[in-house]
């Protein structure tokens, strides 16, 4: 069998670089790591077949430097580049440079990225493909009369937004017609002040939406499929924290409708390889196109576990020109998977990032548990990059089984030396709304605002006894010889040590 | 051997006496049957009780100059005072009256020093901003007083536990 | 929801005890460990909620002592006992004692075990249920004429076996009628000498059979299902080494026929809970009943991965009186799983057991990999028990994907301090016959007899350089403080140390 | 610094010289660009070469008094002779003429001692049977000679590396 590629450069770091390298190893393809000055000892360098330094710690001087990465690809003789997520993964110019250098970019074409890169351009393409958007106007409102007409047509509450806007300026949430006129005037003058442009338009306000995304895959022969959805409503500071597949509220019919819409989005952009179409879903389960992510997502493992597919293998196969090895009707979802993103952040300090040296790591294993990690005990998590340490994914026959398996795995998981958000997941996974599948993008803020239930610390006595015993046993000399006699107990050594005092 | 042990600040008295099969353990006057084994560095397997022998895995974590133990999912700050070293321990226990050091709680880059030597500060007043992983964190004065020393320099990296400012 | 049980005692040790405890934790049930003198620090004691000593290292004084175990169950207030595999798991008397003590035995009834415990009794029950056996006679041959008649009816080659036999005595393989008479006389006189009984019978000789088994599950309400098969032909000294699901040669029709036969076997015995029906399969894919294992098998994870079910959860649910939560037609196989049994044994010394202290363990993780382990770095593997350390299981969309994922995981797996058979799996999984699915019970002996291909050692130069560097770096003092400056490299410390010399 | 290194018995000469950015490494007269980092105790990350910078993870394993390194899946027996300790190393290298110790290759129980002190044995002749995990293993004499000492006792447990018999 001809190998798909000879050598793949992974233009990334952390868990995703390791995950791609594992796929390369499995497919008999050599892997090339690149690393910044602070990443020489990183796990992705240890796991690679070759490794090249690309400059200082700042990503702008290393992982974002297309020129350096292409230079390494040339030196190493790599015939493909996997960009992972983040960094250069959605950079059309980089994809174009790869093509020019004769190195296959494992992802969509630069053209497809550009079609999706700008929200307004994406919107035009998608409208043409009949993709649903949040109802409203695209252009500025000419009068209060028009505003009233549109608002009553789409239904209250509505959101007024500055056309030139961003950052919440010129935005107003309006609950009924009585408030519309003053809100419009306020929004227009704020927009004028902020952006020098008073144009304001209306969208239906989606209250407490769910964030649900559809995984799509397209080969280079015109075949495009959807691979189920992911529920990503549990977010903090617009960052996903927990994702699952399938969504607790999506049934077979809704899945098909969302999936077919997502496929139309991909086809309208001439999309190839893995991509994700994000939707907002309102409380009546209407879904609206939000944007397309033109790369592999962090949360792809939940889709892998439920579809039984390996998305990175598929990415590499499709990039090598192979057709998708299955048709839409052969894709089936079985069971349920939930992912927790383990971050280096301090739960006692508003989840502020907590880089530093990992002094200890006890990791979970066993039935239904997958861990994709980018770190190890002894590794110093640098201050320069994303705080994602690892992803812990639980699979089960049912959502409930996936949940309890994850809780069991969290019990087995300890990271010492730096702070992590492990305790957050213990709380989320036991939350009544979570258990009931009642999720929306406000879930996490509501949970955090609620009773913390004062971290359970029932074993202070045990802690006290253990603290004393650790102190006593520290005084026991380590054996010079690492082979310990079966019969020889810690106690005998302690007794001898005591005798010496 | 008797220890004074602080768990999350709460004091206990622990007596440990070496006997044939391990230790005799008395916690705050109550005898607790304990079977303890070190299974790996900083990991202790405890079986507690006679009937209803509960099994615990206790992990010790050292962070900067603090020590914690994990019992299951819960993390306890611990301080062990050896009676033989009592004077030292007592002497080193800082109180509100002395100088207080503000230490970096995590590695990062000092992006702003908001005070000057000699300046009066309130307890909880922001004095230093550290950036890590693209987020900024304002560190606050540990007490009311006067800034007597600033070792943090804007634009430089610091490690977890580094002293940044001293307030007296 | 009422918990299934309050507290389960696990009457076992090693990986299976840990695996059952994980299920207990997931289901909200407290777990009770028992341990012998050498197992105080064993992983199953560390993972349990409660732990009780039950005596000396010898299994006959501890893990096989029903009285001690039932005494612990009473003291701890356990309302069920999970026996794992081995030890007391197939001991009908123990199951009966549990019932008498009011403690639920998680497995079949004593009566069902007894029906299956004796091969001749099992054979009678199975004949009545129309289960296929290897063709031949059940009773002694009256004459050479009868022998010729039976042999030509079942077809050559045939096996002559002593009715009272065992250990190969009184056995003869006969390839054609010309050899039959002298072989029969020889077998009869050998049987007479060995057992005082010259009775000899004929069976068709199955040449290079496959060993394929079917997982069955029965609840206490009369529902019995089959959960696919496992191919277990890769054996050494009659011990399974690699198992997979599904079998490379079983198609949907054969699976249904084997499955329905296995269900008839279980029903004929009044079987409940998890069980396995073993078959011999000849080269024409005829299958013959061998025996029934009345317990959970070591290799159950491959069935779990391919069916998406958790068999230990199911065992506990069924033992608590719940009906099976699915019907036969809802069971589906998806993908492929392969298990490697990691043993403490020395590949350079005829795979002789190698207990001792595990000084180091680097374990594989990531997509499609599950590891069920009973050991950890620092643990001393005792000399008294089975050498199974852990099971490494690979899952994939296809058999090939499972295979390459396992090979990748084996690359990530290092155990130091004791010898293990990890290298054996690297060889098996690359063997051409294995890759082609050409398996039978002679596979492993043939492979071992073939070219070892002299263990590949292409990196002696790297080893030499590393050995020197380790020696130099040993001279570098460890930092007293565990916090290492990001900027401070090993080299600077080495330079300082050098300067001090 | 120059070392004599034996890999699976094959001798190499390795020069390691400390320079600004690490080591200058010359193996058997050939300069090899090396970037080495200890990532954990006994785990070395090596990147070798200038173009085609190959990455290796090398793990050191100590078993009884032998040392091995793993490079990928392959395990190499190593012996490092420091030139400054050369005489000691040479002196301790046993040869066929001297006494040879038969050591237990794994922990187990001595079930049979098949020789007596003063008895002549052939190289490869079975002298001791050890049982572990229900399997018996016959240990063979390391050389032809006379049994001068037997420390193994039937029915007792031994550890890996324990001397059982000496043949001279």
């Amino acid at each position: 069998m001809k190998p798909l590629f000879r050598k793949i450069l992974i233009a990334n770091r952390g868990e995703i670089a390791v995950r791609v390298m594992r796929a390369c190893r499995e497919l008999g393809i050599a892997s090339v790591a690149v690393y910044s000055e602070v990443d020489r000892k990183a796990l992705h360098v240890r796991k690679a077949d070759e490794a090249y330094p690309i400059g200082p710690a700042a990503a702008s001087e290393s992982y974002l430097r297309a020129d350096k990465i292409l230079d390494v690809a040339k030196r190493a003789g790599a015939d493909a580049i996997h960009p992972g997520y983040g960094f250069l993964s959605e950079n059309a110019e980089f994809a174009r440079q790869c093509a020019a250098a004769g190195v296959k970019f494992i992802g969509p074409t630069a053209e497809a990225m550009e079609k999706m890169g700008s929200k307004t351009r994406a919107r035009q393409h998608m409208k043409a493909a009949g993709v649903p958007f949040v109802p409203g106007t695209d252009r500025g409102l000419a009068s209060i009369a028009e505003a009233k007409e549109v608002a009553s047509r789409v239904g209250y509450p509505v959101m007024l937004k500055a056309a030139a806007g961003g950052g919440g300026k010129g935005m107003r949430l309006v609950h009924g017609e009585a408030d519309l006129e003053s809100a419009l005037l306020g929004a227009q003058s704020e927009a004028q002040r902020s952006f020098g442009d008073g144009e304001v338009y209306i969208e239906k306000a989606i209250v407490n939406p769910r964030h649900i995304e559809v995984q799509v895959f397209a080969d280079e022969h015109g075949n495009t499929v959807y691979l189920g959805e992911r529920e990503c409503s549990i977010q903090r500071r617009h960052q996903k924290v927990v994702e699952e597949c399938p969504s607790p509220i999506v049934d077979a019919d809704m899945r098909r409708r969302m999936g077919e819409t997502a496929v139309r989005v991909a086809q309208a952009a001439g999309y190839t390889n893995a991509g994700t179409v994000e939707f907002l879903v309102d409380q009546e389960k209407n879904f609206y196109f939000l944007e397309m992510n033109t790369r592999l997502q962090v949360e792809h493992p939940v889709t892998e576990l439920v579809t039984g597919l390996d998305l990175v293998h598929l990415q590499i196969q499709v990039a090598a020109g192979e057709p998708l090895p299955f048709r839409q009707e052969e894709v089936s979802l079985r069971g349920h998977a939930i992912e927790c993103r383990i971050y280096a952040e301090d739960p006692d300090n508003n989840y502020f990032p907590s880089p530093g040296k990992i002094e200890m790591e006890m990791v979970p294993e066993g039935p239904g548990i997958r861990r994709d990690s980018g770190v190890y005990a002894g590794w110093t998590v640098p201050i320069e990059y994303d705080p994602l340490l690892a992803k812990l994914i639980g699979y089960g026959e049912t959502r409930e089984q996936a949940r309890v398996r994850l809780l069991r795995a969290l019990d087995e998981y300890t990271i010492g030396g730096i702070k992590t958000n492990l305790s957050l997941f213990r709380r989320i996974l036991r939350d009544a709304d979570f258990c009931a599948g009642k999720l929306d993008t406000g879930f996490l803020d509501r949970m955090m605002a609620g009773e913390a239930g004062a971290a359970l610390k029932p074993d202070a006595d045990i802690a006290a006894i253990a603290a004393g015993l650790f102190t006593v046993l520290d005084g026991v000399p380590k054996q010079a010889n690492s082979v310990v006699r079966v019969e020889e107990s810690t106690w005998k050594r302690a007794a001898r040590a005591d005798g010496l005092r | 051997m008797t220890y004074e042990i602080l768990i999350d600040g709460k004091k206990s008295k622990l007596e440990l006496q070496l006997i044939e099969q391990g230790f005799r353990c008395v916690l705050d006057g109550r005898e607790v049957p304990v079977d303890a084994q070190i299974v790996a560095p900083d990991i202790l397997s405890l079986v507690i009780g006679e009937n209803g022998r509960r099994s615990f895995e206790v992990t010790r974590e050292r962070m900067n100059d603090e020590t914690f133990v994990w019992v299951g999912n819960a993390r306890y700050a611990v301080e062990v005072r050896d009676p033989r070293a009592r004077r030292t321990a007592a002497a080193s226990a800082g109180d509100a009256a002395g100088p207080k050091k503000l230490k970096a709680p995590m590695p990062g880059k000092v992006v702003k020093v908001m005070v000057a030597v000699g300046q009066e500060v309130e307890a909880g007043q922001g004095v230093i901003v550290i950036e890590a992983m693209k987020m900024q964190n304002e560190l606050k004065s540990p007490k009311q007083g006067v800034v007597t020393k600033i070792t943090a320099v804007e634009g430089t990296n610091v490690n977890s536990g580094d002293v940044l400012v001293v307030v007296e």
Side-chain angles (χ1 to χ4, degrees), chain A, chain B:
Chain A
M1 203 178 72
K2 177 179 150 292
L4 300 157
F5 292 104
R6 210 173 59 80
K7 201 181 274 186
I8 294 178
L9 184 153
I10 293 93
N12 216 303
R13 63 182 301 283
E15 68 85 18
I16 192 61
V18 173
R19 196 260 170 271
V20 174
M21 285 172 192
R22 284 179 164 143
C24 289
R25 175 68 53 97
E26 288 159 10
L27 295 171
I29 301 168
S31 59
V32 179
V34 290
Y35 59 94
S36 75
E37 276 169 12
V38 293
D39 272 348
R40 167 63 185 86
K41 297 187 189 185
L43 191 59
H44 76 283
V45 176
R46 297 174 54 188
K47 294 279 186 196
D49 293 313
E50 295 183 21
Y52 295 80
I54 50 166
S60 57
E61 293 302 310
S62 49
Y63 297 106
L64 288 169
R65 284 284 296 268
D67 55 338
K68 290 183 178 178
I69 288 166
L70 280 165
D71 180 56
V72 169
K74 201 171 172 183
R75 282 169 66 198
D79 48 358
I81 291 181
H82 195 298
Y85 50 70
F87 295 130
L88 294 168
S89 63
E90 298 188 89
N91 185 317
E93 185 49 31
F94 179 60
R96 193 165 278 127
Q97 288 171 8
C98 288
V103 178
K104 181 72 182 186
F105 178 85
I106 299 176
T109 59
E111 294 66 38
M113 273 192 222
E114 279 165 349
K115 278 184 185 153
M116 286 301 170
S118 142
K119 290 203 189 194
T120 57
R121 226 177 309 169
R123 207 169 167 117
Q124 292 157 16
H125 282 98
M126 296 312 106
K127 280 240 158 147
V131 171
F133 286 85
V134 175
T137 56
D138 287 340
R139 33 180 195 80
L141 294 161
S143 64
I144 180 66
E146 187 191 355
K148 285 182 178 172
E149 185 273 318
V150 175
S152 67
R153 176 162 52 79
V154 303
Y156 289 92
V158 296
M159 188 66 83
L160 302 178
K161 290 185 178 177
K169 290 281 195 318
M171 276 178 74
R172 293 287 188 283
L173 178 65
V174 182
H175 288 280
E177 195 172 304
D179 304 326
L180 186 60
E181 185 159 4
S182 67
L184 180 61
L185 291 172
Q188 284 172 331
S189 70
E190 190 172 296
Q192 185 65 46
R193 278 200 311 278
S194 302
F195 313 113
D197 176 356
E199 193 175 346
V200 165
Y201 66 97
I202 285 188
E203 265 185 14
K204 184 174 173 60
I206 311 293
V207 181
N208 291 338
R210 285 178 181 251
H211 179 126
I212 299 178
E213 60 188 28
V214 173
Q215 177 70 52
V216 296
F217 231 105
D219 65 22
E220 300 179 356
H221 308 277
N223 305 301
T224 307
V225 296
Y226 59 91
L227 304 175
E229 77 283 0
R230 290 184 290 261
E231 166 90 47
C232 307
S233 300
I234 302 185
Q235 303 184 355
R236 203 165 38 75
R237 300 190 199 115
H238 303 285
Q239 178 116 46
K240 296 166 188 170
V241 173
V242 174
E243 303 98 344
E244 58 186 291
C245 173
S247 161
I249 59 148
V250 173
D251 60 20
D253 177 64
M254 184 173 173
R255 179 169 303 120
R256 186 187 48 71
R257 286 186 293 117
M258 290 183 84
E260 288 174 0
T261 302
V263 165
R264 279 205 304 280
V265 168
Q267 287 174 331
Y271 199 84
T272 49
N273 219 297
T276 293
V277 180
E278 298 194 334
F279 295 99
L280 280 186
V281 179
D282 68 19
Q283 289 168 344
E284 288 73 42
K285 300 196 190 181
N286 299 302
F287 56 90
Y288 308 103
F289 175 77
L290 200 58
E291 62 174 320
M292 182 165 187
N293 295 317
T294 60
R295 52 166 162 83
L296 189 70
Q297 300 277 89
V298 176
E299 59 270 25
H300 73 276
V302 294
T303 299
E304 294 187 319
L305 289 168
V306 172
T307 60
L309 302 171
D310 187 309
L311 298 191
V312 179
H313 283 208
L314 270 183
Q315 282 197 297
I316 294 170
Q317 288 160 357
V318 160
E322 296 202 348
L324 281 173
F326 52 80
R327 285 163 306 166
Q328 183 66 56
E329 55 271 28
E330 294 172 286
V331 175
S332 70
L333 306 191
R334 187 175 77 183
H336 201 101
I338 306 174
E339 172 180 285
C340 300
R341 295 193 188 189
I342 315 299
Y343 288 117
E345 51 186 27
D346 183 357
D348 300 327
N349 183 13
N350 198 25
Y351 291 92
F352 191 80
S354 170
K357 187 171 181 194
I358 298 175
E359 298 287 349
M360 170 194 53
E361 201 189 22
M362 294 171 67
V363 303
E365 289 192 298
I369 295 303
R370 165 173 165 187
R371 198 178 77 111
D372 279 20
S373 171
V375 302
Y376 59 92
W379 168 241
T380 299
V381 181
I383 64 174
E384 286 83 1
Y385 313 110
D386 185 269
L388 184 66
L389 300 173
K391 301 179 312 200
L392 183 68
I393 309 116
Y395 173 83
E397 300 165 48
T398 59
R399 185 172 189 269
E400 176 62 9
Q401 191 178 77
R403 186 183 76 86
V404 296
R405 278 176 160 178
L406 256 184
L407 277 168
R408 185 271 296 167
L410 286 164
D411 274 354
E412 298 182 5
Y413 205 169
T414 308
I415 298 173
I418 59 171
K419 306 290 185 68
T420 73
N421 63 345
L422 280 169
S423 60
L424 176 67
F425 300 109
R426 298 188 183 114
R427 202 168 151 197
I428 291 173
L429 291 173
R430 288 193 173 94
D431 180 90
D433 280 349
F434 180 86
C435 293
K438 288 183 191 157
L439 308 176
D440 62 58
T441 52
F443 168 87
L444 200 52
D445 287 340
R446 280 198 306 280
M447 189 192 86
M448 299 300 279
E451 283 292 308
L456 277 173
K457 293 194 163 188
D459 298 317
D461 284 4
I462 305 296
I465 292 169
L469 287 167
F470 271 123
T471 306
V472 172
L473 296 171
D474 281 344
V476 179
K478 294 265 193 319
Q479 290 207 309
N481 187 331
S482 60
V483 180
V484 176
R485 285 232 165 237
V486 174
E487 310 88 328
E488 179 155 56
S489 75
T490 308
W491 304 121
K492 292 193 186 149
R493 277 179 283 141
R496 278 206 304 276
D498 210 53
L500 293 174
R501 276 177 197 162
Chain B
M1 191 95 77
T2 303
Y3 294 94
E4 207 175 274
I5 297 190
L6 277 84
I7 299 294
D8 290 338
K10 193 177 153 288
K11 204 180 286 184
S12 296
K13 201 181 104 186
L14 179 71
E15 294 170 58
L16 291 173
Q17 185 190 345
L18 209 50
I19 55 172
E20 182 61 26
Q21 285 303 312
F23 284 100
R24 183 167 172 273
C25 165
V26 180
L27 181 68
D28 292 332
R30 184 170 47 91
E31 178 153 0
V32 183
V34 167
D35 173 1
Q37 297 284 336
I38 293 281
V39 293
D42 290 322
I43 304 179
L44 189 62
S45 168
L46 287 182
V47 180
I48 304 276
E50 297 276 10
N51 282 307
R53 290 170 53 87
R54 296 204 297 154
S55 173
F56 294 93
E57 179 121 320
V58 185
T59 307
R60 176 166 58 175
E61 179 184 7
R62 292 193 184 92
M63 247 184 121
N64 306 328
D65 45 8
E66 292 175 285
T67 301
F68 302 87
V69 298
W70 291 83
V71 184
N73 293 329
R75 184 169 180 262
Y76 301 85
V78 306
E79 201 179 319
V80 178
R81 292 182 188 158
D82 187 326
R84 295 176 302 188
R86 181 173 296 245
R87 258 165 309 172
T88 331
S92 76
D95 58 52
K100 275 270 187 188
K101 294 169 179 170
L102 174 65
K103 295 179 182 178
M106 78 281 293
K109 187 178 183 174
V110 177
V111 293
K112 203 167 180 183
V113 177
M114 302 158 77
V115 292
V117 170
Q119 183 178 334
E120 286 193 17
V121 290
E122 296 296 314
Q125 179 180 337
V127 291
I128 295 268
V129 179
I130 287 189
E131 181 179 296
M133 291 166 164
K134 301 190 174 73
M135 283 186 66
Q136 300 199 341
N137 192 19
E138 190 178 279
L139 304 181
K140 296 172 188 350
S141 174
K143 62 175 277 187
Q144 188 192 352
V146 176
V147 175
T148 56
K149 194 174 176 187
I150 298 178
T151 43
V153 178
E154 282 185 12
T156 62
N157 287 348
V158 293
N159 271 291
S160 188
D162 283 359
V163 175
L164 306 173
V165 168
V166 179
V167 179
E168 195 158 344

